[in-house]
Amino acid sequence: MMSAAIDAFLAMLAAERGAAANTLAAYRRDLEGAGEVAGDLERAGKADLSCLTRAWADLAPSTVARKISALRQFYGFCMDEGWRGDDPSAVLVRPQARRPLPKILSHAEVERFLTQAEEEAAGDKPNAVRMLALLELLYGSGLRATELVSLPITAVPRDAPFLSITGKGGQQRMVPVSRRAKEALGRWVAVRSAPGSPHLFPSRTGYISRIRLYQLVKELALRAGLDPAKVSPHVLRHAFATHLLEGGADLRVLQTLLGHADIATTQIYTHVDSARLVALVNERHPLAAARAGG
């Protein structure tokens, strides 16, 4: 039965690739949805699958690409198991989906942002010191918002300048902590008043939420004279990655630091850097200046 084949495929993803529960649920939705249109996937041929193109006509290219990827992996598994000798999903043409370039902040904007946080933390008020520590880790270590707010107090480095992070899918990685971030963390731990909490950034109900972090970052951006629409925890993570790449960081190293499972995800930053270089040429090249002077 189709459901048995899908169950076996998902079990393989969980056991051999360590796929997270959300990932497995997404695969199941895509495969079962395709089966509702094309029939029993285990026995479907190219003619059966070709009708999916019409069924998916109104979906975003990225969504269609994800569904096709799920089918190709499923049929690859079926062939490995000897359940069939061909892959009918070859009839489906993957759309060319361009990922939007992430928003980025310039070095000057980041410096302005951090300077505002440092000035506010000068009096050692706990909330201001906490904000400085949060920012130093967002920009200095490239953490995801969820990874940051859920850090345990035991994650604070003592001798080794690294944090042990549990990222997407429960994957573990080590990220470096800059001298600035380590100093900010030390200041925060000294004024943090939650002796019974296991969380580095505690709240009354556990740890501060991603939404609260988002609000705090927006509020600080406003006080720093920056457009709040341009700034978020994720934008600071992008700035970390982009500025490292501009400085000559290796893409594979960047992939490890960011916790990306696929190097293709990290490669978006090469496009960001290219876009910056094109803008620089258009604005600063002597011929551009001569043309503008006309």
Side-chain angles (χ1 to χ4, degrees), residues 229-253:
K230 288 184 62 177
V231 187
S232 72
H234 209 59
V235 168
L236 288 168
R237 174 173 156 88
H238 287 318
F240 161 82
T242 305
H243 296 167
L244 273 182
L245 193 62
E246 289 174 3
D250 180 83
L251 203 60
R252 286 289 181 185
V253 172

Side-chain angles (χ1 to χ4, degrees), residues 39-289:
D40 187 343
L41 293 184
E42 191 180 346
R43 295 176 176 80
K46 290 184 178 181
D48 300 308
L49 293 190
S50 63
C51 63
L52 291 172
T53 301
R54 294 188 297 275
W56 295 342
D58 295 331
L59 298 180
S62 58
T63 301
V64 175
R66 189 197 70 227
K67 291 178 178 294
I68 292 175
S69 175
L71 282 168
R72 288 183 177 168
Q73 292 183 66
F74 171 73
Y75 283 116
F77 170 74
C78 289
M79 292 170 67
D80 289 343
E81 294 295 311
W83 295 341
R84 60 182 302 152
D86 66 324
D87 176 5
S89 69
V91 74
L92 299 172
V93 179
R94 188 190 298 269
Q96 295 298 314
R98 290 189 64 188
R99 298 185 62 180
L101 297 181
K103 295 178 183 178
I104 57 172
L105 294 173
S106 68
H107 292 270
E109 287 172 322
V110 171
E111 186 63 30
R112 189 172 171 184
F113 199 49
L114 290 174
T115 297
Q116 180 68 30
E118 289 169 348
E119 290 174 354
E120 294 182 5
D124 284 339
K125 292 183 178 179
N127 284 349
V129 175
R130 181 186 67 180
M131 189 72 239
L132 180 61
L134 288 166
L135 288 185
E136 289 289 357
L137 287 174
L138 281 171
Y139 178 64
S141 298
L143 300 185
R144 297 181 178 95
T146 300
E147 295 169 348
L148 175 58
V149 297
S150 62
L151 280 173
I153 186 66
T154 53
V156 178
R158 289 180 172 81
D159 299 324
F162 292 94
L163 287 174
S164 177
I165 303 297
T166 301
K168 286 186 176 181
Q171 297 297 312
Q172 297 279 335
R173 74 181 191 280
M174 301 292 288
V175 298
V177 179
S178 67
R179 287 189 295 271
R180 289 175 51 126
K182 190 170 183 179
E183 180 182 341
L185 279 172
R187 290 178 62 187
W188 166 237
V189 170
V191 299
R192 172 182 171 276
S193 179
S197 174
H199 304 295
L200 179 56
F201 300 106
S203 70
R204 289 190 299 272
T205 58
Y207 52 80
I208 63 172
S209 67
R210 291 171 61 248
I211 294 175
R212 183 57 183 148
L213 175 62
Y214 183 90
Q215 292 169 339
L216 290 170
V217 168
K218 295 284 186 185
E219 291 165 5
L220 181 65
L222 195 60
R223 295 195 298 275
L226 298 172
D227 181 0
K230 288 184 62 177
V231 187
S232 72
H234 209 59
V235 168
L236 288 168
R237 174 173 156 88
H238 287 318
F240 161 82
T242 305
H243 296 167
L244 273 182
L245 193 62
E246 289 174 3
D250 180 83
L251 203 60
R252 286 289 181 185
V253 172
L254 193 58
Q255 177 190 8
T256 300
L257 294 177
L258 292 171
H260 288 160
D262 189 342
I263 189 68
T265 306
T266 317
Q267 285 173 334
I268 187 67
Y269 294 103
T270 64
H271 302 313
V272 172
D273 200 36
S274 297
R276 182 187 65 84
L277 292 174
V278 169
L280 183 64
V281 169
N282 287 336
E283 293 170 9
R284 304 294 178 85
H285 193 280
L287 288 179

